[in-house]
Amino acid sequence: MTRTALVTGASSGIGAATARLLARSGARVLLHGRDEDRLAALAAETDGTALPADLGLSGAATDLAERALAVTGSVDLLVNNAGLGWAGPLPELPAGRLAELVAVNLAAPIELTRALLPAMLDHGRGQLVFVSSIAGRTGVAGEAVYAATKSGVDAFAESLRFELHGTGVTVGVVVPGVVRTEFFTRRGRPYTRGIPRPVSAERVAAAVVHAARRPGDYYLPRWLRFPAALRGAAPGVYRTLAARFGAES
Ligand SMILES: NC(=O)c1ccc[n+]([C@@H]2O[C@H](COP(=O)([O-])OP(=O)(O)OC[C@H]3O[C@@H](n4cnc5c(N)ncnc54)[C@H](OP(=O)(O)O)[C@@H]3O)[C@@H](O)[C@H]2O)c1
């Protein structure tokens, strides 16, 4: 059973749903985000602790890990979920947004993991779950940097699986397609396609909790593993089909 969990991006969407689910299952939840009002409300609801931090700032992730350990002494489960998108032609991506995408989506999960891992290894037990994206497995037009950060998260998680084998620390990856959250409003382009159909944040949260207990890769919806597998096995065929059916979201 997970006793203490740090959920990043718990002030909204998938992170908030995950924190609620973990709290209902008896875990002590450490709630990260930037929006202090939302975090305070969720902390009251879940009997959790709000730990606000802007992960776009240098050193913020390491500082967050230290604050988390100061509150509970140990963190059994780290859910690396906080993230943001940006959609549009690459030359139009503002430099500041590029830096924020890399800092929040990729560097922060790496730094948080590095900071919390030693205590997990000392205890011989720990759970790491990464919220990635189908964009990182297949590529998406207009979201090259977002997709690159998620691909980086995937490679980091996969490498850790090998490195941590036999230590008692497990790695799970959740790969959502489209989730009904504020993500699309915030990225600057609404989601208008019919496929994949959007899933609820609660459904993704259930996959996150499941990935902590039974580590593996979990696609939401499950059929998304087929385009990802096709791209790996036959990239030429995949690109032809993607060009025909659209590689934007
Ligand atoms: N929605 C989708 O369709 C979808 C699909 C695939 C993967 N994902 C991934 O799912 C994860 C959660 O996204 P969501 O859909 O739940 O979106 P969301 O509702 O927009 O939530 C994003 C969370 O990340 C936090 N965050 C963003 N920038 C931050 C920063 N600079 N510092 C600290 N926290 C920051 C936000 O905190 P504040 O609100 O407090 O600023 C919020 O809690 C992300 O990693 C996203 O890439 C989403």
Side-chain angles (χ1 to χ4, degrees), residues 9 11-12 14 34-35 54-55 81 146 150 179 181 184 186:
S11 47
S12 182
I14 296 166
R34 279 179 307 188
D35 187 318
D54 183 343
L55 294 176
N81 162 76
Y146 174 71
K150 293 299 185 178
V179 191
T181 67
F184 291 96
R186 292 173 168 187

Side-chain angles (χ1 to χ4, degrees), residues 4 18 26 45 61 79 104 113 127 147-148 156 159 164-165 177 184-185 187 193 200 211 219 222:
T4 55
T18 301
E45 180 190 329
V79 180
V104 179
T113 304
Q127 298 161 322
F156 178 64
S159 304
L164 298 175
H165 181 73
F184 291 96
T185 323
R187 80 170 182 178
R193 292 177 49 147
S200 70
Y219 289 84
R222 283 170 67 179

Side-chain angles (χ1 to χ4, degrees), residues 132-151 154 175-176 189 193 196 219 224 227-228 231-232 238-239 242-243 246-249:
S132 178
S133 166
I134 190 63
R137 304 229 164 171
T138 60
V140 180
E143 294 187 84
V145 175
Y146 174 71
T149 62
K150 293 299 185 178
S151 246
D154 273 345
V175 189
R189 190 171 79 197
R193 292 177 49 147
Y219 289 84
L224 280 177
R231 178 179 173 256
Y238 171 76
R239 282 176 204 131
E248 289 197 350
S249 76

Side-chain angles (χ1 to χ4, degrees), residues 22-33:
L22 286 165
R24 277 205 297 275
S25 71
R28 167 116 193 245
V29 283
L30 303 174
L31 309 163
H32 159 266

Side-chain angles (χ1 to χ4, degrees), residues 10-241:
S11 47
S12 182
I14 296 166
T18 301
R20 286 193 179 96
L21 197 54
L22 286 165
R24 277 205 297 275
S25 71
R28 167 116 193 245
V29 283
L30 303 174
L31 309 163
H32 159 266
R34 279 179 307 188
D35 187 318
E36 299 198 18
D37 291 342
R38 284 185 177 190
L39 285 180
L42 190 62
E45 180 190 329
T46 58
D47 208 11
T49 303
L51 296 174
D54 183 343
L55 294 176
L57 302 177
S58 171
T62 311
D63 179 62
L64 172 63
E66 283 168 9
R67 285 157 61 206
L69 288 173
V71 173
T72 55
S74 68
V75 172
D76 298 327
L77 166 62
L78 168 62
V79 180
N80 276 304
N81 162 76
L84 70 155
W86 188 85
L90 183 61
E92 292 175 20
L93 171 59
R97 186 71 168 199
L98 191 162
E100 189 183 6
L101 282 160
V102 175
V104 179
N105 294 3
L106 180 59
I110 293 173
E111 284 174 22
L112 272 172
T113 304
R114 183 172 70 105
L116 293 174
L117 193 53
M120 290 181 177
L121 291 171
D122 279 351
H123 293 129
R125 159 184 110 236
Q127 298 161 322
L128 302 167
V129 176
F130 297 85
V131 178
S132 178
S133 166
I134 190 63
R137 304 229 164 171
T138 60
V140 180
E143 294 187 84
V145 175
Y146 174 71
T149 62
K150 293 299 185 178
S151 246
V153 164
D154 273 345
F156 178 64
E158 189 66 24
S159 304
L160 277 183
R161 279 194 180 117
F162 293 122
E163 183 171 329
L164 298 175
H165 181 73
T167 64
V169 181
T170 60
V171 179
V173 179
V174 174
V175 189
V178 179
V179 191
R180 279 186 297 275
T181 67
E182 294 168 30
F183 177 87
F184 291 96
T185 323
R186 292 173 168 187
R187 80 170 182 178
R189 190 171 79 197
Y191 180 72
T192 52
R193 292 177 49 147
I195 298 174
R197 294 236 305 261
V199 302
S200 70
E202 287 70 26
R203 202 168 146 201
V204 184
V208 169
V209 173
H210 189 74
R213 292 174 187 152
R214 290 183 182 272
D217 285 10
Y218 296 94
Y219 289 84
L220 278 298
R222 283 170 67 179
W223 65 262
L224 280 177
R225 68 186 190 277
F226 293 116
L230 179 63
R231 178 179 173 256
V237 177
Y238 171 76
R239 282 176 204 131
T240 305
L241 289 172

